Amino acid sequence: MTQTVPGFDRLTVEQDKLGGQPCIRGYRFGVDQLLELFAAGMTFEEIHEDFPFLEPEDAQQVFAYAAALAQRDFYLPLQESA
């Protein structure tokens, strides 16, 4: 059964696909995969050449999803300056 990630209509989750990790529109292409490609310095155009099913709106939602995850209650303690 395919479910969309709440608030992200282009991100889906299926228990039997990629271990239940968020995917892009039901494809076996994980949110983490797209983030890793961007982190490696690829542009959307370069990624699109290899994965033509991806759309700019997919990338927008992946970034929004990553930002939402980063906003969870996570705090990195800072060292006090001397």
Side-chain angles (χ1 to χ4, degrees):
M1 172 189 231
T2 302
Q3 297 178 328
T4 58
V5 175
F8 300 94
D9 63 343
R10 291 178 158 271
L11 307 182
T12 58
V13 175
E14 297 177 53
Q15 288 300 355
D16 62 338
K17 212 177 263 185
L18 297 182
Q21 294 297 312
C23 297
I24 297 173
R25 292 184 290 119
Y27 288 99
R28 289 187 184 277
F29 192 90
V31 166
D32 61 328
Q33 290 174 273
L34 185 55
L35 287 172
E36 287 174 7
L37 294 173
F38 279 115
M42 292 182 75
T43 65
F44 179 78
E45 291 75 18
E46 292 170 329
I47 296 168
H48 189 256
E49 286 179 23
D50 292 333
F51 305 98
F53 60 87
L54 291 174
E55 299 173 356
E57 294 84 1
D58 298 325
Q60 290 171 334
Q61 282 210 358
V62 164
F63 285 128
Y65 179 72
L69 290 178
Q71 291 178 14
R72 291 189 178 175
D73 294 331
F74 174 78
Y75 299 97
L76 181 64
L78 300 176
Q79 295 179 353
E80 292 185 29
S81 59

